[in-house]
Amino acid sequence: EKKYTIVSHALSVGASFEIPIRYSGIGAAVAIGQEVMIADGDVGLRIEKIVDDAHVLCTALTSGVIYSSQSIHLGEVVDTFDHLAYAKPHLAAFAEESPDFVAFSFVNSAEMARDCASALAAQFRHGHPPAFVAKIESPGGVASCEGILAYCDWVMIARGDLAVNIPYEQLGLAQKQIARSSHLHGRKVIVATH
């Protein structure tokens, strides 16, 4: 039985059993006994002890390899993470490439969709902005689908992340709901799978 420490905002691994993540305040966001999934659910951990706001001690439930920049799934907590703040610095680099599309991950509310659309318009103000693809990957994104559709050009149903963040038996229903709403709003849909 291996023990690991998840460390908020660590830039590099300080010890062989530390898992650095970008989410700040993980200790305040999780509960003892909660399961945490990494790499689209390939690696499972269970929270055993909350050391402080930046460190939680976990036990490995499954074995696997964790690579740099792989996703971490904290259930409902994913809807509180500011994914747009993480993406904004990358927009300047995208502008130089003149992309046809820009996808934002974990769009979980109409407000976030509006902010993503505004960020794209501001970055690409001297030309036509690329199409905004809203990736729906969380319970909040599913619940806010109608509001999100008011601001995006396309929707991506990211089944891998969504399947880790909602009960698996709800995945097909959520996919149909999002696709149906997207078609009613004249939005194109991408269904992404592993």
Side-chain angles (χ1 to χ4, degrees):
E1 184 174 275
K2 294 230 179 187
K3 302 279 186 190
Y4 294 88
T5 302
I6 298 176
V7 183
S8 291
H9 279 285
L11 297 176
S12 62
V13 178
S16 62
F17 294 106
E18 288 185 350
I19 302 169
I21 63 169
R22 288 188 301 260
Y23 185 85
S24 64
I26 188 169
V30 297
I32 294 173
Q34 180 178 341
E35 290 187 12
V36 173
M37 306 305 278
I38 300 177
D40 289 336
D42 289 344
V43 176
L45 305 171
R46 183 178 46 248
I47 306 292
E48 299 294 340
K49 180 179 180 184
I50 298 169
V51 179
D52 57 34
D53 278 352
H55 299 82
V56 295
L57 183 64
C58 304
T59 299
L61 301 174
T62 58
S63 62
V65 178
I66 301 170
Y67 297 99
S68 177
S69 298
Q70 286 192 296
S71 59
I72 182 165
H73 301 275
L74 305 172
E76 294 291 330
V77 175
V78 74
D79 287 333
T80 66
F81 183 70
D82 189 356
H83 296 276
L84 181 57
Y86 175 72
K88 277 184 178 179
H90 302 287
L91 288 178
F94 293 152
E96 294 176 14
E97 300 297 325
S98 300
D100 294 323
F101 305 91
V102 173
F104 286 89
S105 293
F106 291 98
V107 177
N108 53 39
S109 67
E111 294 78 21
M112 183 179 177
R114 181 198 61 222
D115 293 346
C116 291
S118 295
L120 275 177
Q123 187 62 52
F124 294 87
R125 63 183 174 271
H126 299 299
H128 184 68
F132 162 30
V133 179
K135 293 176 67 178
I136 297 183
E137 306 168 80
S138 69
V142 174
S144 302
C145 180
E146 293 290 323
I148 291 168
L149 291 168
Y151 298 99
C152 68
D153 300 300
W154 290 59
V155 169
M156 179 184 291
I157 304 166
R159 289 176 50 91
D161 286 312
L162 195 54
V164 175
N165 288 309
I166 66 172
Y168 189 74
E169 60 275 9
Q170 294 177 12
L171 182 61
L173 295 173
Q175 177 179 324
K176 285 182 178 184
Q177 172 196 336
I178 296 165
R180 186 177 304 116
S181 294
S182 297
H183 288 293
L184 289 173
H185 285 83
R187 303 298 187 260
K188 294 183 174 142
V189 179
I190 302 165
V191 179
T193 61
H194 284 73

